[in-house]
Amino acid sequence: MDGEQRKTATTQTATIIGDPQWKEFSENLQYLWCDGSAAIAVLPNPPTALEFSRDFVSKSRPCIIRNVFVEEGEGTPKQLTLGDIITTTTTQQQQQEDDRVITVDVTPDGQGDCVRTCRQHGTSTTTHGEEEEIFVQPKEYQMTLSEFRTRLRRQQEQQQPRKTSHDLDIHGRPVLTFHAEEEPSSSATMSNDNNDDADMHNGKTQYSLPPDDSVVYYSRQNDCLRTEFPELQSLFPVGALDWAQQAFGTSLDAVNLWIGNEAAVSSMHKDHYENLFYVASGEKIFTLCPPACVPFLYEHLEYPTAVFDVDVDVDENDHQHQWSIRRIVQGDDGECTKVRWVAPDVTSLMSANDNDHKSSLLERYPLLKHVHPIEVRVQKGDLLYLPSLWFHRVTQSCETVGVNFWYDMHFDSPLWCYYSLLSQLQPTNHSNSNSCE
Ligand SMILES: O=C(O)CCC(=O)C(=O)O
């Protein structure tokens, strides 16, 4: 095929997939995952490996499974609260000194690892040129478990809405404003190692703490249950998941602990893992979209990356904390690192009101109308099976402890080939204007 023929073939493919085809595709997809209703299957007991493989894994269908981890003798689902974790991990000796130090993800408003609109302070208009969309990661702080609990509870007591509506961007997230001299600036490197922030005082380590009204979320994704809380491992024996491991046919990659409340949100994303998410206390709210929704979610758009930071101005009476962001750059030439991410928040399309907001969102992302998100509330004692590549946005309705098990996914599968193709089919008239210049 010469260059001209190849160009023609590409153009033909692009014209074949128009709005009617996307609509039909979306309608076909809509009930593949949940039998005609908007609810996923709930299994009262763990399935056999064959049932799980046949009915869920091979079809890439999520489900909720009950009675996976049960108390010996009593047969009730295992529960674990933050209070239980503090008791279990605090030894007699530690009680007299200090309790467990953990690394916590901290943001000004609960929205980290997502696309944020950054505006220079004093700019009242919202024209595109004066704002920039940047993928901003949380700042990591080290603090004791007790300090973490105090901050989490304080967050819950602060009943008032954190931001007023005029501060919200098209995604419903507070706009981040900066003074000219605080404009997101390039910094040579980015380190999440906060050891520099620790000091010794009276023989005890003192950690620098985040501003009082920050949102804290323990959301490490580094196998933290097994590495940072080994004493909790026996509560959730992986042997209880043999039926799943046999169905996946791959190995367990990580076991993660998640502790947070309604103030923290994990924005819509997908993982290359088969995911089993157990809710040990509280309630998690998952908003799910199947992998085939990838073209509708505009996941192909790329954003420059940054990390939240806190500048501390010390005057004679006070310490003033000011949130800022630091760009993440790579290499000696200071090139800005970019990431592909889903910017729109589909939950704003699911709420009954604010039609103006929905119209603006759909005007900017027209294919979003084909998305049929499913809301799944996972209660304490229940385990969610989330197949690999499923998009998920996650929050909590109250203080919640979760434990998830990530198994490697199969890349030698039709699902992966089909997903890769779909992720390349994009509307030709949509691009974002983010640049690092
Ligand atoms: O619980 C959360 O906030 C996010 C969970 C998640 O992304 C996952 O389990 O893959």
Side-chain angles (χ1 to χ4, degrees), residues 326-358:
R326 270 188 301 138
R327 282 189 190 276
I328 302 174
V329 293
Q330 62 188 8
D332 292 342
D333 55 359
E335 200 186 315
C336 162
T337 306
K338 287 188 164 192
V339 70
R340 285 167 69 140
W341 204 258
V342 176
D345 185 354
V346 300
T347 57
S348 52
L349 295 176
M350 297 163 83
S351 66
N353 39 29
D354 204 353
N355 286 330
D356 286 352
H357 174 66
K358 284 185 203 165

Side-chain angles (χ1 to χ4, degrees), residues 238-257:
V238 287
L241 302 171
D242 278 351
W243 46 273
Q245 175 128 28
Q246 283 170 31
F248 299 144
T250 54
S251 44
L252 181 62
D253 195 80
V255 186
N256 300 311
L257 183 65

Side-chain angles (χ1 to χ4, degrees), residues 166-206:
H166 69 269
D167 279 326
L168 302 183
D169 68 9
I170 192 166
H171 310 301
R173 301 181 189 116
V175 171
L176 301 171
T177 52
F178 299 94
H179 294 281
E181 66 275 18
E182 294 159 356
E183 256 291 274
S185 58
S186 294
S187 69
T189 53
M190 188 219 110
S191 161
N192 275 335
D193 179 354
N194 279 300
N195 287 339
D196 289 352
D197 296 341
D199 252 334
M200 290 299 283
H201 187 69
N202 289 342
K204 281 189 172 186
T205 310
Q206 304 274 303

Side-chain angles (χ1 to χ4, degrees), residues 129 155 221 289 371 392:
Q155 241 160 250
Q221 295 162 46
C289 294
V371 172
H392 49 293

Side-chain angles (χ1 to χ4, degrees), residues 44-236:
N45 290 299
T48 62
L50 174 64
E51 287 162 347
F52 187 52
S53 172
R54 182 192 60 208
D55 300 338
F56 299 99
V57 181
S58 67
K59 293 179 173 170
S60 179
R61 291 179 85 157
C63 62
I64 287 178
I65 304 161
R66 303 220 155 113
N67 290 311
V68 174
F69 296 110
V70 287
E71 294 291 354
E72 253 171 63
E74 297 169 38
T76 50
K78 279 205 179 146
Q79 290 192 31
L80 183 73
T81 61
L82 177 53
D84 298 333
I85 297 175
I86 293 179
T87 312
T88 313
T89 56
T90 309
T91 63
Q92 285 294 72
Q93 194 210 338
Q94 281 172 324
Q95 261 168 22
Q96 289 150 21
E97 302 196 349
D98 231 346
D99 62 355
R100 180 73 48 95
V101 174
I102 55 170
T103 304
V104 176
D105 285 329
V106 185
T107 55
D109 48 26
Q111 311 255 1
D113 283 329
C114 66
V115 176
R116 306 296 306 256
T117 303
C118 301
R119 183 189 299 155
Q120 189 174 323
H121 186 70
T123 309
S124 55
T125 56
T126 55
T127 53
H128 206 72
E130 290 152 333
E131 293 184 344
E132 188 178 15
E133 289 188 325
I134 302 179
F135 176 83
V136 188
Q137 298 175 2
K139 178 169 169 65
E140 291 184 356
Y141 275 93
Q142 287 184 294
M143 62 183 77
T144 62
L145 258 177
S146 310
E147 178 69 37
F148 171 68
R149 177 170 59 180
T150 304
R151 286 171 173 268
L152 200 63
R153 302 259 161 103
R154 195 189 298 152
Q155 241 160 250
Q156 255 157 338
E157 282 156 17
Q158 288 169 346
Q159 294 295 339
Q160 78 278 16
R162 301 187 78 84
K163 297 282 163 187
T164 52
S165 58
H166 69 269
D167 279 326
L168 302 183
D169 68 9
I170 192 166
H171 310 301
R173 301 181 189 116
V175 171
L176 301 171
T177 52
F178 299 94
H179 294 281
E181 66 275 18
E182 294 159 356
E183 256 291 274
S185 58
S186 294
S187 69
T189 53
M190 188 219 110
S191 161
N192 275 335
D193 179 354
N194 279 300
N195 287 339
D196 289 352
D197 296 341
D199 252 334
M200 290 299 283
H201 187 69
N202 289 342
K204 281 189 172 186
T205 310
Q206 304 274 303
Y207 296 96
S208 79
L209 290 168
D212 280 347
D213 58 352
S214 322
V215 173
V216 292
Y217 189 23
Y218 184 72
S219 50
R220 309 279 282 158
Q221 295 162 46
N222 57 352
D223 204 20
C224 60
L225 186 107
R226 293 191 291 188
T227 55
E228 294 178 13
F229 291 92
E231 57 279 79
L232 300 181
Q233 241 180 285
S234 59
L235 296 175
F236 306 103

